Amino acid sequence: MLYDNITVKDGKLFFAGMDTTLLAKKHGTPLYLMDEDRIRGNCRAYRDALKGCACPDSEAVYASKACSFAGIYKMIAEEGLCADVVSPGEIYTAKKAGFPMERAYFQGNNKTDEDIAFAIDCGVGYFVCDNFEELDVLDRIAGEKGVRQKILLRVTPGIDPHTYAEVSTGKVDSKFGVAIETGQAAEAVQKALSKKNLIFEGIHCHVGSMVFDSDVFLRASAVMLGFAAEIKKNLGAEIKILDLGGGYGVKYYPGQGEIDIPQNIKAVAKRVAELSEEYGLKTPSLRLEPGRSIVADAGITLYTVGSVKKITGYKNYVSVDGGMTDNPRYALYESKYTVLTANKADSPCDMTADLVGRCCESGDIIQPGVSFPSSIERGDAVAVLTTGAYNYSMASNYNRVPRPPIVLLRGGSDRVAVRRESLDDLLSNDIV
Ligand SMILES: *Cc1c(COP(=O)(O)O)cnc(C)c1O
């Protein structure tokens, strides 16, 4: 199987040791299941790799946009990770869940005045500043509130990770950050240093997502250290923190690339320490911001089949009770997934069909060209694997479809962490 938390017993698909067909009956479908031990294990792998690495006081920061709900901030806090937040909504959720906000990093390329004031009031530890305007406004608002705000500056190192254009963010012409190559990043550091209400702590980059090439982070760290050396030489400032963002890839289908994350972290930290020495810099503390690789393999989605349509001489469709509303990733990026029939998990797959959702949209495809057992019929349960990242957090109410619940599995028991949206929830903001 794709991951060791997925097994088959008596023809039934088990996830995190539990029978998914029983969970589908108990909680209804569509249903997001999350393996809590896997989330925690993924957190620990990062924490342990960073603890023993060559850069002192290094930490992992969970990029919570990958999957954001109150319970996950609590888990992340318990596992000793920091959190990336990108909106007042994420900040508010984290704070309500009791997350230590001094360990939160506020990301984003357009923070409004209201966002900035709200984040300061919530005690967000770090702003990852994206642009010149933000430095001016943050300095002003921090001053009004009598706060000196710690910041990192987001820069673009000019590295193309060669993954997917939609998730590639480290190139010079990206909408995120300021470019090192054009000299604008150095200008931004100078500006930050001149602001009396800002404390310049270091530099940040995020080159992209779904990275399997271990060389990408080594190249990024070399460019970033070169920039740190330039800052020291020209502006007399040293960075304390080097934040290399997120982006480690995960496996969605058999045979896809793999990367040994702990080993890569050690190698990157070693390179950073060596280059620091070479440039006469104090070795900075590292930050890495994994999102996908913390939650993706901890999630699967269950659906119930409604119809099997065989268009003779053309193609077949298996329609289920969810779709682009709970998983828009195929529609957005043509993302690949592994699909299993949860109650016929050891039946031979002898029929090809597109797995489609219930929305009024031809593009409502969860996955094309899936192999199913030809006995698949209405009432069967279908599982889409590796849906823990960017599924719930990207879900919508298109066609007024309520969002599915998240059920956490741990030690053989199941617990609802986010309840299913009700029809009344859909109306809760409507004024008649
Ligand atoms: C999206 C994002 C991440 C997380 O990326 P993953 O590919 O999910 O690990 C980290 N940092 C920033 C700034 C991001 O925008």
Side-chain angles (χ1 to χ4, degrees):
M1 276 297 165
L2 207 54
Y3 291 101
D4 62 7
N5 55 359
I6 301 164
T7 52
V8 174
K9 219 188 284 175
D10 302 328
K12 304 220 164 72
L13 180 73
F14 278 62
F15 184 58
M18 297 186 77
D19 184 340
T20 59
T21 64
L22 295 178
L23 290 165
K25 282 200 187 95
K26 178 172 171 186
H27 297 283
T29 56
L31 173 63
Y32 295 118
L33 294 176
M34 293 198 87
D35 174 353
E36 183 170 346
D37 284 327
R38 179 56 56 106
I39 299 174
R40 291 178 184 270
N42 289 340
C43 289
R44 276 174 221 154
Y46 272 95
R47 207 186 52 203
D48 293 348
L50 283 162
K51 207 192 294 168
C53 81
C55 299
D57 307 317
S58 294
E59 295 206 81
V61 183
Y62 170 57
S64 67
K65 69 175 188 209
C67 188
S68 176
F69 58 94
I72 205 158
Y73 291 101
K74 196 160 164 274
M75 251 185 257
I76 293 302
E78 284 168 6
E79 296 302 334
L81 269 64
C82 305
D84 266 356
V85 287
V86 298
S87 68
E90 287 184 2
I91 291 171
Y92 190 65
T93 308
K95 194 172 168 67
K96 281 280 181 180
F99 192 83
M101 296 309 285
E102 69 280 5
R103 291 172 60 75
Y105 290 70
F106 188 17
Q107 303 274 349
N109 68 308
N110 184 13
K111 305 177 182 82
T112 66
D113 289 22
E114 293 74 23
D115 295 349
I116 290 171
F118 183 73
I120 294 175
D121 289 342
C122 288
V124 161
Y126 296 84
F127 274 65
V128 181
C129 292
D130 179 271
N131 52 67
F132 291 94
E133 291 95 326
E134 184 181 338
L135 292 171
D136 287 328
V137 175
L138 179 57
D139 178 58
R140 172 173 59 75
I141 298 178
E144 285 162 12
K145 293 183 180 291
V147 167
R148 289 196 72 219
Q149 181 62 51
K150 287 190 281 190
I151 68 154
L152 303 179
L153 181 73
R154 178 160 183 172
V155 304
T156 48
I159 284 180
D160 182 352
H162 296 294
T163 55
Y164 305 96
E166 294 84 351
V167 294
S168 178
T169 48
K171 294 191 284 181
V172 175
D173 58 358
S174 166
K175 82 162 179 172
F176 297 103
V178 268
I180 295 176
E181 189 184 303
T182 59
Q184 285 158 310
E187 263 175 65
V189 172
Q190 190 169 20
K191 179 166 211 155
L193 291 169
S194 76
K195 300 290 190 189
K196 66 178 193 304
N197 304 308
L198 303 184
I199 305 171
F200 174 71
E201 292 271 298
I203 50 179
H204 170 285
C205 70
H206 171 69
V207 293
S209 210
M210 283 300 283
V211 175
F212 290 108
D213 176 0
S214 55
D215 202 41
V216 165
F217 294 101
L218 292 169
R219 283 190 288 138
S221 51
V223 175
M224 296 294 274
L225 259 291
F227 181 57
E230 183 192 327
I231 295 172
K232 183 171 181 190
K233 179 160 156 265
N234 297 336
L235 304 169
E238 284 230 34
I239 61 162
K240 271 198 227 159
I241 294 174
L242 174 62
D243 189 331
L244 294 174
Y248 284 114
V250 304
K251 217 171 14 166
Y252 287 97
Y253 54 92
Q256 196 177 15
E258 273 186 89
I259 182 163
D260 183 333
I261 295 173
Q263 192 188 322
N264 191 243
I265 291 174
K266 301 271 185 216
V268 168
K270 189 161 161 276
R271 176 72 59 88
V272 168
E274 286 165 1
L275 287 171
S276 301
E277 192 176 329
E278 195 175 306
Y279 290 133
L281 303 169
K282 204 164 151 269
T283 303
S285 162
L286 265 193
R287 296 289 177 276
L288 295 177
E289 301 174 332
R292 191 188 310 272
S293 52
I294 296 288
V295 285
D297 64 343
I300 69 169
T301 308
L302 293 178
Y303 302 98
T304 302
V305 174
S307 85
V308 178
K309 194 173 283 180
K310 297 178 179 168
I311 310 175
T312 314
Y314 290 88
K315 67 190 295 184
N316 305 321
Y317 288 101
V318 170
S319 298
V320 292
D321 51 356
M324 64 191 290
T325 40
D326 59 78
N327 183 358
R329 291 189 68 253
Y330 183 80
L332 273 175
Y333 316 119
E334 299 191 355
S335 304
K336 285 195 186 166
Y337 282 102
T338 300
V339 178
L340 298 171
T341 307
N343 58 320
K344 295 175 176 167
D346 56 7
S347 302
C349 292
D350 47 0
M351 178 186 97
T352 301
D354 285 6
L355 177 67
V356 297
R358 62 176 300 160
C359 298
C360 295
E361 191 76 52
S362 297
D364 177 22
I365 299 167
I366 300 174
Q367 197 65 197
V370 175
S371 297
F372 289 104
S374 54
S375 64
I376 192 165
E377 60 187 353
R378 184 176 173 95
D380 283 348
V382 165
V384 178
L385 310 185
T386 332
T387 57
Y390 304 110
N391 275 232
Y392 174 69
S393 60
M394 284 186 164
S396 77
N397 290 128
Y398 179 55
N399 287 172
R400 290 240 140 179
V401 174
R403 272 173 287 217
I406 297 177
V407 170
L408 293 175
L409 309 180
R410 193 179 200 196
S413 59
D414 50 316
R415 173 165 68 88
V416 177
V418 178
R419 67 170 172 75
R420 185 180 298 281
E421 261 179 343
S422 68
L423 294 177
D424 280 325
D425 288 336
L426 297 176
L427 275 162
S428 63
N429 295 315
D430 294 16
I431 299 162
V432 191

